[in-house]
């Protein structure tokens, strides 16, 4: 009886990242994948959504042309067929590059649906495989409420949206999390009559009320946004789709369900592991080893329902790949939390969220971009940013923003937070002129002015760092 | 006889920044300014140039429209009169906000040309003023070669360019430093037939041959660029302007002189200070105190010919303002060097330049953006970046780039360099997907792979940071 060192179930971002570590240490493994090979990210996630957004933002730029002195913007039209063809052409390229990773695996790559029989047995295509370790990285799929009527092809998810030959005239986007927000704005900018519906009053993963208010206001200027109630979807007798929330009723051509993703673990035998499962059928997982209880089974990527983000899935894969092939179990410090929503302006949350902070022990600095010089020159002067620090010593804890270049600020702040820097450390870098980062600096100075240490550190905060007099 | 604590000569960025510190500590000062009040930055520098660039890039975006599926781009026209009007409208706003700083000074703000008579005497408008300290912050003006013919209004500098009612048909931009490069590309994108001339083979302040080659190649695709010889300007008998370099001869409607800036110190009496002056008429200045010799005279901003950059001028002003009003002379650590050229893609240099490094003791990592995913999706996949680290321990020393979002990478790298971080520290931050920073990560991983420490730090470099096994 052959016994594998590792069976990796799922060849998405987490599985492929696990594979990279596993194959460095053993040849005695298989990768099992159900359905199309290629990652959620490349096939139906990060990449096609960004391609839609780039086309949408390019088309939307015409609204700034008159102010810049450019005439003829009203002659611009979107050829949605062509736009979607480009999206799929590049998407296919991105998918192909992920396929290269498994193409040379030969018999060690198995297409089929895996079912775990026990912590050392996996059934696939009617065959029983024995293994020392298992990595479950089966990914996730969009949630569709069971009580919705059958809308056929008029019900879209990110699995089907990017396959459309042309765009519908009107659409309800239900769910105003990151994916819903990105797609609602992009589709609206591409000319679809979009209505957004969100059950909570907070959108896009924001938890800071000021930032949420800013984002809601800015997005509402582009498409109607109905928040704070559960939308119901009705298919009338004349085959018209109506979406309702409280006393609002909107007729639409199609519905995009953007209600989050659920792990692909149903029917795969997690119940045979002998550990408790939650109501989603998931066992609890140690976030710094990814081990399930003390079993030789590891749960990585979207499937563990921790954070459905590419960079976290890739990290998960590395962790699981190492912890199935190294002699000793390794505990990992996870990265600084970072979430970016690629709306315009960008939405981003880095470090500790507003909601998670103890507000009596922090101070906040904020900036509006309405009068920020560089942003005004680019007609992108919309948005706000708030940054949080420990009141005792000014150590940076987190930030939330709906701001131009927010995706870039978030990386800068992630480094500052990872290095446990304080607000004066960050103020010591050169802020070139004129850059959008000067807006971030305004928020940092605002924060600095509220901290007791400010009077002693004024130079570090507002001018060059003084190495002799103030250290 | 009244004796002032401080006389500030010049109310530009450095002078205003000095003023902010001085007025916190004394009321017994005057500010003397010759010519129009308002800063070089707001009037004729950073801000109007960025306004021209934003209009130019907006208009240039039409070249990507066909690929995105947007039709009608050929109907877009530039109304240059309107574009320049917007530029001046916003420029005037920026100038107004700098004027606010001096508006309430009353008699402490003097319009006139100052002349230093001795380290404690300044003559202005025929009146002799006595003072304990002097801050010279008289700024700079564009260099115009003395051997050029008189071109009248057809000779432009950044002092006159932004005053044009309409754009010329054709222009020679002479000088391919930061200002020349920015204006040449912007004017070209606005439809002016631009020819660029640079005396050196390196452009825009780049010193890394790979990055320079990348920038030259990309810019040459937009307008002809003649490098490596001194351009001569000839006014023919029929009043036609010809610009020549070796066997190249170009007829142009006008010439933009972008040959750098010279300090405004002529005739202001620096010779009365009793210290040696160089061939530009400048005394040597201590860069960390800005003091001239041991005199009570400080030289700040563009006038000291150190770094003609807004953020350095502002720092200079703070230093001079403090060192004229604090009891003891303070030495300042200057910020990490940072230079950004706002071309597309951005050119940026941060930390130690390629040229200044000892190449036997460093390693370099590089990335091309040609295949970078996010850049491809936005049709901005052009450029390259190179990052330098100490070969012994991977400490980040500097980077040069001609890359999309380079202005943002430069700030992130400035923080890493200021904090003396190594390549693995920077790789430990989350790189969200898909962002342009993933391109920077590719360069960092390339660098990491060349460092001896890599094998021990592989996890920090390539995956999540391992806090237990590897620390």
């Amino acid at each position: 009886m052959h016994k594998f060192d590792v069976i990796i179930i799922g060849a998405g971002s987490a599985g492929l990242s696990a594979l990279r570590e596993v194959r460095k240490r053993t040849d005695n493994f298989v990768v099992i994948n159900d359905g199309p090979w290629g990652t959620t990210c490349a096939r139906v996630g990060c990449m096609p959504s960004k391609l839609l957004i780039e086309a949408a933002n390019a088309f939307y730029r015409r609204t700034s042309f008159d102010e810049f002195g450019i005439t003829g913007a009203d002659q611009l039209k979107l050829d949605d067929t062509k736009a979607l063809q480009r999206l799929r052409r590049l998407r296919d390229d991105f998918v192909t590059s992920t396929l290269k990773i498994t193409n040379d695996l030969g018999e060690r790559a198995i297409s089929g649906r895996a079912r775990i029989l026990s912590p050392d047995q996996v059934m696939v295509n009617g065959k029983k495989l024995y293994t020392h370790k298992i990595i479950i990285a089966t990914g996730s799929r969009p949630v569709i409420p069971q009580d919705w009527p059958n809308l056929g092809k008029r019900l879209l998810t990110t699995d089907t949206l990017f396959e459309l030959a042309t765009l519908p005239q009107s659409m309800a986007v239900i769910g105003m999390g990151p994916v819903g927000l990105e797609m609602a704005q992009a589709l609206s900018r591409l000319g679809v009559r979009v209505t957004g519906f969100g059950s909570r009053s907070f959108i896009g993963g924001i938890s800071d009320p000021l930032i949420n208010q800013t984002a809601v206001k800015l997005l509402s200027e582009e498409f109607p946004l109905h928040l704070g109630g559960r939308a119901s979807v009705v298919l009338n007798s004349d085959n018209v789709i109506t979406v309702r929330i409280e006393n609002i009723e909107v007729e639409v051509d199609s519905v995009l369900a953007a209600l989050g993703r659920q792990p692909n673990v149903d029917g795969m035998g997690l119940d045979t592991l002998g550990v408790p499962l939650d109501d989603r059928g998931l066992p609890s997982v140690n976030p710094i080893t990814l081990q399930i209880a003390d079993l030789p089974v590891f749960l990585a990527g979207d499937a563990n329902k921790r954070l459905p983000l590419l960079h976290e899935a890739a990290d998960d894969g590395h962790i699981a790949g190492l912890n199935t092939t190294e002699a000793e179990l390794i505990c990992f410090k996870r990265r600084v939390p970072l979430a970016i929503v690629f709306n315009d302006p960008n939405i981003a949350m880095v470090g500790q969220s507003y909601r998670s902070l103890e507000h009596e022990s922090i101070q906040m600095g904020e900036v509006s971009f309405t009068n920020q010089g560089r942003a005004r020159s680019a007609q992108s002067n919309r948005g706000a940013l708030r940054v949080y620090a420990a009141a005792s010593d000014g150590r940076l804890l987190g930030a939330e923003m709906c701001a131009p270049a927010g995706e870039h600020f978030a990386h800068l702040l992630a480094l500052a937070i990872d290095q446990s820097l304080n607000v004066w450390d960050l103020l010591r870098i050169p802020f070139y002129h004129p850059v959008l980062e000067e807006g971030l600096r305004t928020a940092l100075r605002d924060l600095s002015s509220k901290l007791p240490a400010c009077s002693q550190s004024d130079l570090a905060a507002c001018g060059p760092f003084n190495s002799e007099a103030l250290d």
Side-chain angles (χ1 to χ4, degrees), chain A:
Chain A
M1 175 200 83
H2 181 78
K3 195 161 185 175
F4 291 104
D5 287 337
V6 187
I7 293 179
I8 301 171
I9 307 175
S13 298
L16 293 178
S17 164
L19 171 64
R20 197 189 319 173
E21 296 297 343
V22 166
R23 71 198 304 183
K24 281 183 201 167
R25 293 166 181 83
T26 178
D27 286 331
N28 187 26
F29 66 84
V30 285
V31 179
I32 303 172
N33 190 67
D34 187 29
W37 293 70
T39 66
T40 294
C41 165
R43 285 199 313 109
V44 294
C46 327
M47 297 317 297
S49 62
K50 254 41 80 195
L51 287 161
L52 195 76
I53 288 170
E54 293 292 352
N57 290 352
F59 190 45
Y60 191 74
R61 279 171 193 143
R62 74 193 186 287
T63 61
S64 69
F65 281 178
D66 181 58
E67 163 75 9
F68 277 128
I70 301 164
T71 63
D74 54 342
Q75 299 299 306
L76 295 172
K77 303 286 173 230
L78 183 80
D79 180 341
D80 57 345
T81 306
K82 202 175 155 188
L84 289 161
Q85 281 167 348
R86 178 200 184 236
L87 182 155
R88 286 188 289 270
R89 195 172 62 243
L90 269 77
R91 188 266 322 262
D92 291 347
D93 254 25
F94 294 129
V95 171
T96 301
S97 72
T98 70
L99 296 181
K100 279 185 194 148
I101 304 169
T102 44
N103 273 351
D104 61 339
L105 287 182
E107 292 188 347
R108 287 180 294 172
I110 300 171
S111 287
R113 193 171 176 83
R115 187 179 150 75
I116 294 172
L117 304 176
S118 71
D120 66 351
Q121 289 180 40
V122 174
M123 178 76 94
V124 64
N125 301 334
K127 228 174 113 178
K128 198 184 283 185
L129 307 179
Y130 296 85
T131 187
H132 291 287
K133 307 267 176 76
I134 299 173
I135 297 172
I136 304 167
T138 44
S140 61
R141 62 182 186 277
V143 169
I144 297 168
Q146 300 200 330
D147 60 354
W148 282 9
N150 182 358
L151 304 178
K153 291 193 168 179
R154 292 185 293 168
L155 171 63
L156 296 164
T157 67
T158 44
D159 282 349
T160 50
L161 174 66
F162 308 116
E163 301 304 324
L164 292 176
T166 59
L167 292 173
Q169 298 271 314
S170 65
M171 193 185 294
V173 177
I174 303 185
M176 288 287 109
V179 172
L181 272 197
E182 286 184 356
M183 294 300 93
Q185 186 180 40
L187 291 163
S188 165
R189 290 184 166 195
L190 289 166
V192 177
R193 215 162 59 247
V194 166
T195 310
F197 295 90
S199 59
R200 288 177 251 175
S201 58
F202 281 76
I203 62 174
I206 301 169
S207 79
D208 185 318
L210 172 77
I211 304 305
N212 189 63
Q213 188 185 31
T214 304
V216 169
K217 178 174 174 296
L218 292 176
L219 290 167
S220 297
E221 291 167 6
E222 297 191 37
F223 56 89
L225 196 51
H226 302 296
L227 300 174
R230 191 166 183 275
S232 60
V233 178
V234 179
L235 189 62
N236 301 350
S237 55
D238 52 358
N239 229 14
V240 170
I241 303 172
T242 308
V243 180
R244 279 195 205 122
I245 190 170
E246 293 177 9
N247 54 355
I248 308 281
E249 209 176 271
V250 185
E251 286 188 6
V252 293
D253 289 345
S254 55
V255 171
L256 177 67
L259 294 153
R261 300 180 68 86
Q262 64 188 93
N264 292 327
V265 292
D266 21 323
M268 70 173 302
L270 292 182
D271 51 320
T272 66
L273 295 177
V275 294
L277 304 180
D278 68 14
D279 52 8
R280 295 165 304 191
L282 285 176
S284 79
V285 171
N286 181 335
I288 58 174
T289 64
L290 299 184
Q291 190 176 25
I292 298 176
D294 57 354
L295 299 173
V297 183
F298 296 77
L299 188 50
D302 281 14
N304 71 22
K305 194 74 189 169
R306 216 177 52 86
L307 285 167
L309 303 174
L310 181 278
H311 74 276
E312 293 283 351
D315 285 352
D316 270 17
H318 282 286
I319 293 173
L322 283 161
N323 275 340
T324 47
T325 52
E326 288 286 340
E328 301 214 352
L329 204 63
I330 309 170
C331 293
F332 289 85
K333 179 167 180 263
R334 301 306 300 240
R335 294 184 206 268
V336 169
L338 173 61
I340 297 172
V341 189
F342 293 93
N343 282 80
D344 171 30
N346 294 161
I347 292 169
M349 285 69 64
V350 55
Q352 294 179 50
S353 68
Y354 176 93
R355 189 183 285 129
S356 70
L357 290 164
E358 294 189 14
H359 286 260
E360 54 280 13
S361 63
I362 65 156
Q363 282 292 351
M364 300 190 285
E366 67 187 54
V367 62
S368 156
F369 281 83
T370 308
N371 286 311
Q372 208 277 332
R374 178 70 181 284
R376 280 184 71 196
S377 80
Q379 296 188 55
S380 65
N381 53 324
R382 311 177 314 140
L385 175 149
R386 199 136 79 166
V387 57
Y388 322 119
S392 55
D393 59 3
R395 192 165 52 86
L396 294 165
L397 301 174
E400 299 194 13
M401 66 202 77
C402 172
E407 58 181 292
H408 304 297
F409 302 162
H411 285 86
L412 180 63
L413 286 161
L415 178 59
I417 293 167
D418 182 62
Q419 291 291 325
S420 303
L421 302 186
N422 65 36
V423 63
W424 303 287
D425 292 325
L426 189 46
L427 280 167
R428 197 166 71 208
I429 69 165
F431 286 82
Y432 208 80
H433 184 69
V435 295
L436 294 166
E437 278 79 359
E438 292 175 297
L440 169 60
R441 182 178 59 182
T442 301
L444 293 170
R445 286 178 173 171
D446 179 42
L447 174 55
S448 157
S449 73
K450 295 172 183 168
L451 290 165
C454 179
S455 52
Q456 291 97 51
S457 304
D458 193 52
L459 268 181
C462 310
F465 181 70
N466 175 339
S467 63
E468 297 198 358
L470 295 176
D471 250 0

